Amino acid sequence: MSVLGLTDEVEGFLETLLREMEDFAALHHVPIINERGRQAFLQVVQKAQPHRVLEIGTAIGYSSLLLAMNGAEDIAITTLELSDERIRTAQGYIDRSAYADRIRIIGGDAAENLTKLQLTGQKFDFVFIDAAKGQYVDYFHKIQPMLTDNATILADNVLFRGYVKGDVPTPRRFKTIVKRLREYIGLVSQPPYVTEILENGDGLAVTRRV
Ligand code: SAH
Ligand code: MG
């Protein structure tokens, strides 16, 4: 048995599947969590050991599988994605993994689906926000009623190529996104929330309720 509680054979197979997905993402320019961000992401997930996960932005299912492999034994993941083509690709990979019964993809606009999810009364102890960067503030407002008391909220790309900290001048076309990401950081940095920003990759905001 390995650290993940899987047999070496299954783990080897999953690693091969992940490498295949990384190659697919590179070839088709799919922005999966990048190599530097990945280690920080895994550390947060392994520490939190989440049971009920909400992911906003499935892409091809790469981070969904990382979550499934590194979360609690009874993990269940609901993941939201807009693109039908990406959903098909993600479902194909997920079906080949050992986690098909753990990951449910909901297609359509995430903001709309979050409103619908609220009505189901479901709670999540871990949320990974990684879709439209201009909408993180809206996503955060919508997930709030669905959080357990000890929930962790992770948001990717919050430093957006250095523009958010002002280290790199923001090109005109990104000004709105950068302004909104700064708003997001402000929002999750005030009570009852505390946020730590990991600067690996494109900036990962780790938020907890205190
Ligand atoms: N979490 C993935 C990467 C997600 S990339 C990983 O790390 O492996 C961001 C994804 O968000 C893209 O696939 C994009 O299609 C999706 N997206 C963008 N806007 C969206 C919206 N309004 N609703 C749902 N998904 C959206
Ligand atoms: Mg991302």
Side-chain angles (χ1 to χ4, degrees):
M1 296 287 274
S2 67
V3 280
L4 293 175
L6 304 167
T7 63
D8 291 342
E9 200 180 338
V10 173
E11 195 172 310
F13 175 78
L14 286 169
E15 287 303 326
T16 307
L17 187 65
L18 291 174
R19 295 298 91 75
E20 187 183 323
M21 294 170 86
E22 288 160 16
D23 291 345
F24 180 96
L27 190 65
H28 299 276
H29 309 288
V30 183
I32 63 169
I33 188 146
N34 75 28
E35 215 168 310
R36 278 174 302 143
R38 201 169 299 152
Q39 288 317 315
F41 174 81
L42 287 178
Q43 274 175 22
V44 175
V45 176
Q46 282 164 0
K47 186 164 168 234
Q49 286 295 297
H51 299 272
R52 295 290 171 267
V53 177
L54 174 61
E55 177 180 66
I56 308 174
T58 317
I60 62 168
Y62 184 79
S63 52
S64 316
L65 280 181
L66 289 182
L67 282 157
M69 293 167 68
N70 292 279
E73 192 100 346
D74 70 342
I75 195 163
I77 302 169
T78 300
T79 181
L80 314 181
E81 173 58 50
L82 182 62
S83 152
D84 288 334
E85 192 185 343
R86 288 200 173 157
I87 292 173
R88 276 194 298 278
T89 306
Q91 195 63 60
Y93 284 123
I94 291 166
D95 287 345
R96 288 167 56 195
S97 78
Y99 299 101
D101 58 342
R102 302 270 168 199
I103 304 170
R104 181 173 64 122
I105 307 175
I106 301 180
D109 176 56
E112 284 175 27
N113 280 323
L114 287 173
T115 305
K116 290 184 191 157
L117 263 181
Q118 280 181 351
L119 301 173
T120 69
Q122 290 179 73
K123 296 275 182 192
F124 298 95
D125 60 353
F126 196 97
V127 182
F128 181 42
I129 303 178
D130 193 21
K133 288 184 267 291
Q135 295 188 37
Y136 282 16
V137 169
D138 181 47
Y139 296 156
F140 190 77
H141 286 306
K142 288 184 168 146
I143 63 173
Q144 259 173 315
M146 298 192 273
L147 299 174
T148 62
D149 287 340
N150 60 347
T152 302
I153 305 105
L154 207 57
D156 193 26
N157 311 102
V158 295
L159 295 181
F160 194 30
R161 309 176 191 175
Y163 305 145
V164 171
K165 290 215 304 177
D167 296 346
V168 184
T170 307
R172 214 188 160 80
R173 67 183 185 285
F174 293 137
K175 286 221 154 82
T176 305
I177 286 182
V178 167
K179 183 171 149 257
R180 292 193 175 162
L181 285 171
R182 288 186 183 135
E183 268 167 38
Y184 177 81
I185 293 170
L187 181 66
V188 295
S189 304
Q190 31 178 303
Y193 298 100
V194 281
T195 291
E196 181 189 2
I197 295 180
L198 309 174
E199 301 201 10
N200 321 52
D202 202 23
L204 209 49
V206 189
T207 300
R208 289 195 188 80
R209 222 202 285 249
V210 282

